[in-house]
Amino acid sequence: MARTMSQPTAADALLSDGGTVTIRPLDAGDHAAVLDLHANRMSPDNQRMRFFAMSRRAPELSADRLCAPARTDFLALGCFVAAGLGEEQLLGVVEYDVDSRRPMVAEIAVAVADDRHLLGVGTLLIEHLVHAALDRGVRIFEAEALSENHAMLQVFHDLGLRVERHLEGPEARFVVLLDENDESYLSSLDERGRGADVLSLVPLLHPRSIAVVGVSERPGSVGRTVLEKIRAGRFEGPVWAVNPHAETIDGLPCHPSVAALPGIPDLVVVAVPADRVPDVAVDCGQLGVRALVVLTSGLDRHQSQRLLETCRRHSMRLVGPNCLGIAQTDPAVRLDAQFGAVVAAPGSAGVAVQSGGVGIALMERLNALGIGISSFVSLGDKYDVSGNDLLQWWEHDRRTDLAILHLESFGSPRAFARTARRVTRTIPVLTVDAGRSAAGRRGAASHTAAAATPTVTRQALFAQAGITATAGIGELVETAALLHAQPLPGTTGKVAVISNAGGIGVLAADACAESGLILPELPAELAQRLLAVLPQGSSAANPVDTTAAVGPDALATAVGLLAESGAVDAVLLCLAPTALGTDPMRELRTGPARRTRPIALVRLDQQTPVDYLATHDGGKLPCYADPQSAARALAHATDRARWLAQPAAAVPRPEGIDREAAEAIVDCFLADHPEGGWLEPVVTAQLLGCYGVPLVPSVWATGEHDTLEAAGSLAPTGHEHRVVLKAYWPGQVHKSDVGAVRTGLHGRNAVRDAYRGFVRDFGERLAGIVVQPQAAPGTELFAGMVQDPVFGPLVLFGMGGTAVDLLDDRAARLAPLTTADIRTLLTSPHGAPLLFGYRGAPPVDLDALEDMLARLSALASDLPQLTDVDLNPVIASKDGISCVDARLRLEPRPTPDPYLRRLRRLPDTHQE
Ligand code: ADP
Ligand code: MG
């Protein structure tokens, strides 16, 4: 098969103990190491168990083969760990050898040093081998199965791959079926990745000892400030200061260098000038430090590269550079190593930010509310530790009940989406949707040295992962206040508004409606019970007006009745301060804070945007200064409830997909067009056909006779059916704009006239004619996919037809789509109500639309060379759907594997 045969590049990854290793193809320089591994570092038992085909050959032969020059049908990967000065040690090797008669099948073998079996070296190597093999079109691994080789069977089983055992005479063979989208493979990958990741973060977030390098004598400098804060925070372990020019600083003895420290710190905070950062990192690595927080900014590309390489080589996790620092409030640690003016108060919000300033603001507000911080990380330029790492940390630590992320860019959004999708099932994950505007995106790009992400893709990511995305920091904190202290509402979005001043009730009702919440009329029986406790003149419509005369008992009773009634999913209580002598909130304080439904308060006289009203049972009622804030918070909580009510992710795989045939078409096209390009109509129809995408029958014709024949076959004479003619030439864009589409043609004469018209208008350009039956009228929709360079394949859906750009009404989701993603994608465009039976029209065939989106998703996930699919329009009616115009584009590109376990590399676009 003619595939893009890029040699896999080196990748860094974590072993199950959290240490860092490098996985890379072997070459001639590795010969001695491979020989040593086979000859000296594997017991005979191990050799027999692990070697398969290699087992009977001498170690020299194995080393020769593994280290031979690169070939397209053979790959050997080694797993290396840094060992001393510039040295590396080989921990294990894997290889595959493609069967010359069956290009989709490869023989594999694995060998791991005796002392490294429990660290998951073999598993990690196989993961990378699977990735490389899929990239080359290999779909099946085979291995000899010696009878005692159950351990190997177990490895594949643990990988979540489907393994079959085949008997061939006396020999048994394992057959492993590879599929990078297989859910069981992906979730076992997650499982291992998570364990390794959390372990690797322990020295960073639970350090037993810490050193600050670059502590100047000058008070107010960054290093000095952090040192003072660490000490003021009464960090549990030893704290050391490094400064070659001072004896003591802040009463603490100074050490001239990292190497001169009296012990090995788990964590080192680096605040030296940019040109010294790489050397300090090397010193730390050589000493055995396990984590760095680099506060310094302004590293050039070379310095950045050296810093990151040093961290990888020495298994150090790195926060920053260009960051504010970190804080950990666990009483066993008590670390406040950040130079913001704020001190993180112990609490339950995990906070990770790219911008230090946003971090300070968030900590201040969370402290003020009493939610406090469990751990805080200012990620800065995110060379290594990213939002994804922190999500996994908070998922596992028992102190975090809210995860707050402020990210301006995404390094590997698909892996992040997968993690977030899982974490949001247990704790809310909140973020600010930063960089919505063009100006905001420019700002994000210039200050985080990473391209900011376009709106539609980012929103797709948030929606699919169940992340609560707010418009700003204020809204985020206001939403966090509700999620932290109150139960989740139900999924209906129904709210009761109750107020002691009618006008405020009306404001609150408007705010609810604007946030997508519903104020239902209250059931008669509930209204009667309310009126029985409320003062004369009250109204029990929704909003409920208690009049200003309401006393604390009546108010508390009414709120309780509403919250427990089952008629609404949340209660919004709005109070105007009166001078009537009784505090209307008194009884609320003595009542329970948590009921079956959430309660939010609005007090227009409140000074802060959000606050808590403490109740006697130790609970908290969130109080807002503005009804809009309260309504938005309730709407976000409702969205979260809806997300949780969705069934866990299942990716549908429609029937009748012929992936192999599709891949053959792709390979064949790319062999003819190495640069890639748009497909001509016939190939377009073939490729869509392999995935069962419902394209209207389209016949390709080149002359008048052909065209008439085709039209006749699609709509026989005398038949009432009509046909459509489309002129085709390579590179055309909007056919109807230039008169290249003639619809509603009836009879031979009309077809002939249309054909002759095309010849007259387009002359030489005309490459051929596409003849289609006229589709039944219906709603014109757009469906398609694009490959985003950062986000990978996205499926798009929206309103279509020739006005598509004008309407600009499209939503996107990351492929592969789950059943729930497909449903929400269908309802996301503003025009979606047209599909569900608008103004008495029957609903369109939704099953067919869902099926088509599932097919597009499969197409997008299976064929990485497919960069664009434009189906416009897809005409949908109650009887079915059909696509009448399709454009597909292919490009040669290596398979991106978003899920492979590997650590980040520096982005190429990094600023100098
Ligand atoms: P383009 O998008 O390049 O202008 P299309 O093939 O999408 O060309 O045709 C333009 C419009 O013509 C469509 O939006 C649709 O309204 C109508 N049309 C095209 N083909 C058919 C068909 N087979 N049946 C019914 N209507 C069609
Ligand atoms: Mg079109």
Side-chain angles (χ1 to χ4, degrees), residues 700-718:
W700 176 248
T702 42
E704 183 172 311
H705 177 73
D706 262 18
T707 306
L708 286 167
E709 287 268 285
S713 71
L714 291 168
T717 339

Side-chain angles (χ1 to χ4, degrees), residues 227 231 239-243 246-255 261:
L227 180 70
R231 298 184 71 201
V239 181
W240 296 304
V242 174
N243 179 339
E247 292 277 299
T248 62
I249 282 180
D250 196 19
L252 198 70
C254 274
H255 303 277
L261 290 174

Side-chain angles (χ1 to χ4, degrees), residues 836-843:
F836 296 91
Y838 186 66
R839 299 216 160 164

Side-chain angles (χ1 to χ4, degrees), residues 528-650:
Q528 264 163 23
R529 291 175 68 190
L530 286 168
L531 289 177
V533 297
L534 293 175
Q536 276 265 278
S538 297
S539 149
N542 194 5
V544 178
D545 180 0
T546 67
T547 77
V550 70
D553 292 330
L555 191 65
T557 311
V559 168
L561 280 173
L562 287 168
E564 310 297 336
S565 68
V568 290
D569 272 338
V571 180
L572 185 52
L573 169 60
C574 305
L575 291 174
T578 62
L580 295 181
T582 49
D583 169 10
M585 291 191 308
R586 193 187 70 213
E587 290 304 310
L588 284 175
R589 286 202 190 89
T590 57
R594 290 178 77 91
R595 316 212 184 212
T596 51
R597 292 287 180 268
I599 298 174
L601 256 65
V602 173
R603 287 189 298 183
L604 290 180
D605 58 326
Q606 185 171 293
Q607 298 300 311
T608 47
V610 60
D611 215 336
Y612 279 128
L613 176 74
T615 57
H616 286 278
D617 63 355
K620 295 180 278 193
L621 290 171
C623 291
Y624 299 88
D626 181 346
Q628 281 179 324
S629 309
R632 275 193 305 247
L634 284 172
H636 283 304
T638 304
D639 284 344
R640 172 156 173 76
R642 288 180 180 149
W643 157 257
L644 289 175
Q646 278 181 7

